[in-house]
Amino acid sequence: MIRLNVFIQAGAGNRAAILDAAKALTACSLKDAGCVAYDIFESATRPDVLLICETWADAPSLAAHSASDHFQKYVGQIEQLGTMKLEQFEF
């Protein structure tokens, strides 16, 4: 299994738009083959920070997700509105 923690720091005034894109990305991604879990978390101490936590069954499932139209669309939107940092773990 593969776990991704994607930290997002929203640019000034962009938090709501990022959250909307992240929610749309989550709704689509939960339907992807090999998606075990996909959720969004909001920081309790930093209102400009969000976390998308993903779990994938295997590398091919994650690769297919990363190549999907919804990934390209919504991640592109998020990247325009803030900065993203990715942590990846295999277990």
Side-chain angles (χ1 to χ4, degrees), residues 1 3 21 26 32 49 58-59 65 72 76 83 89:
M1 292 233 216
R3 164 73 47 85
T26 298
D32 287 346
V49 174
D58 51 36
H65 165 68
Q72 299 298 321
T83 57
F89 307 93

Side-chain angles (χ1 to χ4, degrees), residues 15-84:
R15 185 183 180 285
I18 288 175
L19 188 54
D20 287 344
K23 286 179 180 180
L25 175 61
T26 298
C28 294
S29 300
L30 284 168
K31 299 173 188 171
D32 287 346
C35 180
V36 175
Y38 209 102
D39 207 345
I40 307 163
F41 298 93
E42 301 178 58
S43 173
T45 58
R46 296 183 56 195
D48 62 329
V49 174
L50 302 169
L51 166 68
I52 297 176
C53 184
E54 316 172 26
T55 305
W56 294 93
D58 51 36
S61 298
L62 177 56
H65 165 68
S66 298
S68 70
D69 290 341
H70 59 269
F71 179 90
Q72 299 298 321
K73 176 181 177 179
Y74 295 118
V75 170
Q77 289 176 7
I78 293 168
E79 288 178 326
Q80 290 179 354
L81 300 168
T83 57
M84 298 174 73

